[in-house]
Amino acid sequence: MKLFVPAEFNFEENVKYLLRSSNECLHRIDNNRIYKALSVADETPVIEIRAGDCRELVVRFLGDTAPSRKWVRAEVARYVREWFDLDRDIVPFYRLAESDPLLKGPVQSFRGLRTVGIPDLFEAVTWGILGQQMNLTYAYTLKRRLVENFGRSVDCEGKTYWIYPTPDKIAACSVEDLAVLRMTVKKCEYLIDTAQRIASGELSKLGLLQTGSHQAAEKMLTSIRGIGPWTANYVSMRCLRFPSAFPIDDVGLHNAMKHILGRDSKPSKAEIRQLSAGWSGWESYATFYLWRVLY
DNA sequence: AGCCAGGCACCAA
DNA sequence: TTGGTGCATGGC
C-alpha cells in the first residue's frame, strides 16, 4: 500500500522523533522502518512503514495480518496519514518561521518533521495525564506498565507488538488495580474517570471535533477533573489536530526557549506571550519543533 | 541529597 | 483572571 506525502515531509526526521525514547512500547524502529500493531474493528494488522521512491510511504502488512476487508485497509491508511499529519500544508508555517528568532533554527534543522500525532483519543488523553508533572523517562515507564498490564499483544514474525488498553478495560478498573503501576492515586482516578467517559460515549473525538473550534474543545476537556489547560491543549495538538493548540505553560517549551535564547533562566509568562505572538494559527507546530530541540 | 519533571485542583483576592 | 500552595513519585 502506498501513501502519497507532501513535499514538506521527511521520513527520517519523523523516525528520529519516534526514536526519542528507548522505552517506547507502542512501536518499534528498525533499519529506518517503523513497525506497529493497529487495532481496527476485530483485526490487528501489524504494519511496516518505510520511505518509498518518490514522495511516498510504503505500508506493508506483516505475516498474515493483511486485512481482508477493504475498509479496514482504508482505516489503516487513514491512521498513518493522521499519525504524520500528511494532509496538512505546512508551507505557511515555514514561511512565518523564517523570520522568527526562535523557530528559524529548528525549522532548518528538522525540516520535514510533522507534528507526530496520537490519533486515538483515549491514548492521547491518558498519555497526557501520565505525563503531567512527571519526568518523561518515568512517564514512558508508566505507559509501558499500563500497556503490558491492561493492553493486549500480537505476536508476529517473532516479535511481540503491544496494543494500547481500551477505555472499557480501564473503565472497569479500581484505583487499587491501577496502583500496581506505581503512580499517584490522583492519576489513577483521572485515568479511570477518562476511560469511563469515553467508554460511555460521553467523551469522543468526533464530539470534540464537532465543537468546531479549538477553544470549545478545550473548554469541554478542561471541565473534566484531571484535565487542565496543558492536557487539553496537548490533546488538541496531537489528537484533535487544531494547529492553534498551544500548551503555553509547558515546561519543556520554556526550557527550549531558554536554550535557544541562551538565557540562564526560563522566560516569564509575559515574555513567552511576546515571543509566541507571531505564531498565530501555528502554535502547535511551533511548540512541536521547539520540543524537538531538547531531545 | 536535593532539585526538578511535557500540571492540576483548590483556595484566596 | 491571576497568583500562591500541596501534592506525590521517580530521574539524575
Side-chain angles (χ1 to χ4, degrees):
Chain A
M1 196 158 66
K2 291 181 178 178
L3 303 179
F4 289 99
V5 301
E8 297 77 25
F9 176 83
N10 182 295
F11 185 67
E12 284 193 42
E13 282 303 332
N14 292 277
V15 166
K16 277 186 207 161
Y17 170 79
L18 292 177
L19 278 168
R20 82 192 154 136
S21 170
S22 55
N23 206 12
E24 173 63 62
C25 57
L26 295 178
H27 56 75
R28 181 169 69 83
I29 310 288
D30 186 24
N31 193 25
N32 212 32
R33 296 171 186 213
I34 306 166
Y35 298 87
K36 182 178 179 63
L38 299 178
S39 173
V40 183
D42 56 341
E43 300 195 51
T44 52
V46 179
I47 58 172
E48 174 198 77
I49 308 171
R50 63 178 171 86
D53 295 332
C54 178
R55 286 181 57 176
E56 65 185 19
L57 290 182
V58 180
V59 178
R60 184 172 71 85
F61 294 97
L62 267 56
D64 59 355
T65 69
S68 45
R69 288 167 292 179
K70 209 169 176 179
W71 70 268
V72 175
R73 296 168 65 90
E75 279 302 301
V76 172
R78 200 160 75 99
Y79 185 96
V80 175
R81 297 203 72 81
E82 210 180 320
W83 195 8
F84 298 106
D85 207 20
L86 295 180
D87 295 313
R88 188 176 314 279
D89 175 15
I90 63 171
V91 170
F93 169 65
Y94 283 154
R95 200 165 293 144
L96 81 81
E98 278 170 19
S99 55
D100 186 287
L102 285 173
L103 298 176
K104 194 174 179 175
V107 297
Q108 281 176 5
S109 303
F110 312 123
R111 195 168 185 86
L113 172 69
R114 321 290 291 196
T115 296
V116 177
I118 305 174
D120 178 68
L121 178 68
F122 180 59
E123 183 186 335
V125 177
T126 49
W127 174 233
I129 291 169
L130 288 179
Q132 292 169 3
Q133 185 63 9
M134 191 66 53
N135 65 76
L136 260 187
T137 309
Y138 188 54
Y140 274 105
T141 300
L142 286 179
K143 181 168 87 166
R144 176 179 287 280
R145 289 179 188 156
L146 182 73
V147 168
E148 291 182 351
N149 278 278
F150 302 103
R152 64 200 166 112
S153 63
V154 181
D155 291 325
C156 186
E157 298 186 350
K159 303 275 185 186
T160 298
Y161 298 89
W162 284 94
I163 291 174
Y164 206 72
T166 62
D168 285 337
K169 180 87 174 182
I170 304 302
C173 286
S174 65
V175 169
E176 295 74 41
D177 293 332
L178 291 187
V180 299
L181 308 181
R182 303 200 64 175
M183 58 184 159
T184 63
V185 169
K186 278 192 192 304
K187 272 199 204 312
C188 296
E189 291 171 354
Y190 297 161
L191 293 187
I192 294 167
D193 182 50
T194 301
Q196 289 174 345
R197 288 172 192 263
I198 293 180
S200 74
E202 175 196 335
L203 181 66
S204 72
K205 186 171 180 180
L206 192 61
L208 288 166
L209 287 171
Q210 280 173 344
T211 62
S213 77
H214 144 225
Q215 288 85 351
E218 182 180 346
K219 195 170 177 184
M220 194 178 289
L221 283 165
T222 53
S223 70
I224 298 169
R225 253 179 72 84
I227 301 181
W230 179 85
T231 308
N233 278 278
Y234 185 85
V235 170
S236 296
M237 171 178 169
R238 299 201 61 192
C239 181
L240 306 179
R241 291 212 171 278
F242 289 112
S244 58
F246 190 23
I248 191 168
D249 293 317
D250 181 82
V251 66
L253 177 73
H254 304 168
N255 283 330
M257 288 176 161
K258 170 188 162 187
H259 179 259
I260 294 172
L261 297 172
R263 304 280 182 77
D264 49 7
S265 64
K266 285 180 242 179
S268 69
K269 187 146 188 174
E271 221 174 343
I272 294 163
R273 286 210 189 88
Q274 202 174 354
L275 288 163
S276 60
W279 302 349
S280 184
W282 288 99
E283 289 89 342
S284 71
Y285 261 84
T287 301
F288 202 74
Y289 269 73
L290 289 181
W291 279 347
R292 182 66 182 78
V293 171
L294 297 179
Y295 296 154

